[in-house]
């Protein structure tokens, strides 16, 4: 920023503070930092997955994060003037940025919301009430979510707060970045790539999905739903 | 909801209100209602697109919304027990739901943020400052955004607040639902399907993009950025 | 080839000649040469498309061929040891090679098989008989082919001899390389990207498709079907 | 066929016979029959894959064939007049027809060309010579093919005779039907979905690929290459 921008920026910052909108801190997290900030916390306690599957799966995540950071660095110096839809280095990097970005964050959300061996959901949680409100009942959500899990072609099933529709939806993602809804804030994420279950369940994805759903970490999900509730409030304001 | 749920729901609602989190109203908008609520406001004043292009484009949007509502209605009665990744009515509907959902909302956002014949952006807007912060400078954003526009294979370029990374990003979407980042709140949307420019500019997408960017509606964008700022605040809380 | 390979190669070549299988000439056409060999022959006589559409469309084809040759040249020197599914220069080039390859050859086949202002198909052609045999009747093919044209999401409808099934099939391709059947030898090709019709027909793809089908060049198609017939013979041998 | 068609058909058939082009027999194989005709022959002798992987993999193939036949039957009675690119039963069936068609035939070709415990390739085979001719050397092909195997995002690597280019090419397919070249006759097929190796090799796809390549069934491949050679002759005629 040059001087004039700085002065204006500071003035606006002041105004925002007065009107209660605190400004985003100047320091922008890079893709890497943002991810790393959440990384260390995945303890996969479940015995419903073998330790080999769990170890390999975490290594896959590491691979995605590493690629994401490589791509991010390459984008910093890529020639943008030759960007082209049929073939260009810029396009290829942008496409793979999205692929690895989604892979990294969906895996993070997934690891965080599975394998709670003491999994319980009580009817007085916001999660329960929002799900019941938007899917008719908790059971209806569950049936629909399982159907999504069985419909992904190596991909993901996601329950998300949809900011366009201002309600929760279930969606089916193929691979990491195909058939993805815009404007979604994911709250429940299930990995349905073969790498999540093939070592332990072979082609029986259904048994894997039911196993994971028995151990969903509802306290983690509740935190996300509370944020979604506040986002909902922002959107209606 | 049965009685016990209702009682709990009311209790929680009370608690939320006290802690300043107002509860989402019970009435859930259907996909159709959510969309229709925003629909009537697109006045395409620009003379940089022919009236034929503008008329046909609005009809395309109507088509997407109609399909989205059909799909939504069909999903209500589809057999979920036979959901299957290789082929099932459920999977096909879910995939096309996302396709038409994105088509509808991206078109809505696009119509709303183009064709302001008095387009101006001043440096003391939040839009300007956030863009400058996250892309290095306003010019750097512009160069990157144009590169995205030229890289979409019949698709979209989108500047969005990325809720995972807590910063703005530019992304390239193919068709309506391929290469879509999860967790994005779109603030600037450019249609790069051939139907947006071929009648008027033939294969010269670049001239079309520059024309549209001259008339971006920054007051519409500013409203979105302000919401994104409040969402950012929620995410950091 | 080293010396020993050369000697064996010549011996085998001799044997092949004796058994009636003439060897492929040593000179391998590059992607560029193969394409250029067919290029000059597209005379678009039709008045059902504007001259602007026809000119721009040929320029698009030139663009694909140029990109295909660039990619092909880049592949010659790319690092293959770092090939990787999440992101690598090799992968990006291979994916775009297929995209531009299909774009180039499908466009070539399309230009060649449309715009015969004296279009006729007689019932004693192999084309007519094969189509009638594999689709039940010529009319049934036509109805199915039109349905394919209306189903492509910016893409192609193709009638092809399917070498796996040893029969003709109609297929729907999205963009240039999605939903493509393996083992197909295309004989009738219809461009259903918006760039083929939007200048002249706006969003009315149906009228465009009917216009093109009135002027299909059946003598070009007959030559392809005759080759397919001989391929069929090879496959059954 | 009505009477007049029959008479013409017989006359043409006569002419074809005289000119050495024998007519395709009237009986058209359905998708199911075509597949079943090749089915029984996969003996997976290899010890480089566990019996669990081999059994599950064959069951997957059965699943694809069953779906393909269901889809084929549904297409017989689908409403074609409502075919539509945004959403229609016809489009969904056609897209999934291609997906399951490729899945079925690629799996068939893969099972047939792996697990020859006595695998050898001699330099005087047509396979060896064609590969050396079109890739520079056998080693160069191998390096390129492995790079393709490592680049597929859950998908396939395929060496195929490309009928447009009249030469062999290596290609990378994602899932079953994305990034597929038109006009290819596959001769060497490697499954790179996680289901082919995850049970036995976890995420180490490279070791799986090298294991499979050690036991390629070159006598099966040679038969395919000989057919491709005759197809090449047809195309040059």
């Amino acid at each position: 920023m040059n001087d004039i921008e700085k002065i204006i920026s500071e003035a606006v910052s002041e105004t925002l503070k007065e009107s209660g909108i605190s400004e985003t801190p100047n320091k922008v997290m890079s893709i890497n930092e943002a991810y790393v900030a959440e990384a260390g916390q995945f303890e996969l306690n479940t015995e419903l997955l073998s330790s080999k599957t769990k170890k390999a799966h975490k290594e896959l995540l590491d691979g995605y994060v590493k690629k994401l950071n490589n791509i991010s660095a390459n984008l910093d110096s890529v020639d943008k003037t030759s960007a082209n839809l049929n073939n260009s280095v810029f396009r290829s990097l942008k496409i793979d940025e999205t692929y690895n970005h989604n892979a990294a964050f969906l895996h993070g959300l997934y690891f965080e919301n599975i394998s709670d061996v003491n999994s319980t959901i009580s009817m007085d949680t916001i999660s329960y009430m929002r799900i019941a409100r938007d899917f008719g009942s908790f059971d209806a959500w569950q049936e629909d979510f399982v159907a999504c899990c069985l419909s992904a072609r190596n991909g993901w099933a996601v329950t998300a707060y949809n900011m366009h529709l201002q309600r929760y939806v279930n969606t089916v993602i193929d691979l990491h970045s195909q058939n993805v809804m815009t404007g979604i804030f994911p709250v429940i994420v299930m990995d349905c790539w073969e790498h999540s279950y093939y070592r332990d369940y072979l082609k029986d994805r259904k048994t894997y999905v039911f196993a994971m759903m028995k151990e969903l970490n509802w306290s983690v999900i509740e935190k996300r739903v509370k944020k979604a509730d506040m986002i909902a409030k922002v959107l209606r304001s």
Side-chain angles (χ1 to χ4, degrees), chain A:
Chain A
M1 284 197 287
N2 56 31
D3 282 358
I4 189 78
E5 279 181 87
K6 215 174 245 169
I7 292 161
I8 296 171
S9 168
E10 280 164 17
V12 173
S13 177
E14 200 61 39
T15 317
L16 284 173
K17 238 176 271 163
E18 282 162 18
S19 62
I21 301 166
S22 84
E23 209 212 354
T24 315
N26 225 9
K27 168 84 179 59
V28 183
M29 273 194 287
S30 74
I31 285 176
N32 192 22
E33 289 169 321
Y35 182 67
V36 164
E38 294 183 55
Q41 45 185 307
F42 312 130
E43 289 173 44
L44 300 178
N45 300 311
T46 187
E47 299 194 5
L48 302 173
L49 298 171
S50 66
S51 56
K52 283 188 180 180
T53 291
K54 289 187 279 191
K55 185 170 171 288
H57 212 162
K58 284 188 170 189
E59 287 168 12
L60 281 175
L61 170 53
D62 289 340
Y64 290 124
V65 174
K66 209 173 153 187
K67 276 291 176 200
L68 184 54
N69 290 320
N70 286 350
I71 292 165
S72 187
N74 287 335
L75 276 168
D76 284 343
S77 58
V78 73
D79 175 21
K80 294 179 186 179
T81 61
S82 62
N84 176 285
L85 71 157
N86 291 333
N87 173 251
S88 62
V89 178
F90 179 77
R91 175 184 153 83
S92 295
L93 287 171
K94 290 302 284 182
I95 296 308
D96 286 354
E97 179 189 35
T98 294
Y99 181 84
N100 287 280
H101 165 278
N102 289 7
F105 286 98
L106 290 172
H107 271 105
L109 292 162
Y110 162 73
F111 284 140
E112 208 185 30
N113 75 192
I114 57 162
S115 89
D116 173 8
V117 291
N118 301 313
S119 172
T120 49
I121 166 119
S122 63
M123 285 194 300
D124 60 352
T125 55
I126 322 270
S127 305
Y128 187 93
M129 287 186 295
R130 292 294 169 266
I131 283 172
R133 183 194 65 189
D134 288 355
F135 294 93
S137 71
F138 188 83
D139 284 356
W141 165 77
Q142 205 160 16
E143 189 196 16
D144 193 73
F145 188 73
V146 169
C148 288
C149 290
L150 300 180
S151 295
R153 268 176 196 169
N154 255 42
W156 301 84
V158 176
T159 301
Y161 183 72
N162 181 313
M163 295 183 288
H164 300 307
L165 301 172
Q166 301 189 16
R167 53 160 293 171
Y168 287 89
V169 292
N170 285 335
T171 58
V172 173
I173 294 174
D174 287 337
L175 295 176
H176 297 309
S177 50
Q178 296 186 12
N179 313 315
V180 180
M181 276 193 174
T182 56
I184 54 167
F185 180 77
V187 298
I188 309 176
V189 173
M190 186 68 73
D191 194 339
C192 296
W193 278 62
E194 290 168 339
H195 64 237
S196 17
Y197 60 91
Y198 218 80
R199 174 67 180 69
D200 304 327
Y201 296 91
L202 287 159
K203 62 192 264 298
D204 187 3
R205 190 190 289 184
K206 201 171 194 168
T207 300
Y208 154 76
V209 168
F210 284 168
M212 291 305 103
M213 288 186 75
K214 268 197 304 196
E215 298 187 354
L216 281 179
N217 190 324
W218 288 101
S219 65
V220 160
I221 294 164
E222 183 75 358
K223 279 180 205 155
R224 297 173 187 166
V225 169
K226 278 184 178 162
K227 294 224 159 170
D229 248 48
M230 289 189 280
I231 290 171
K233 201 179 151 190
V234 167
L235 295 173
R236 283 193 311 273
S237 69

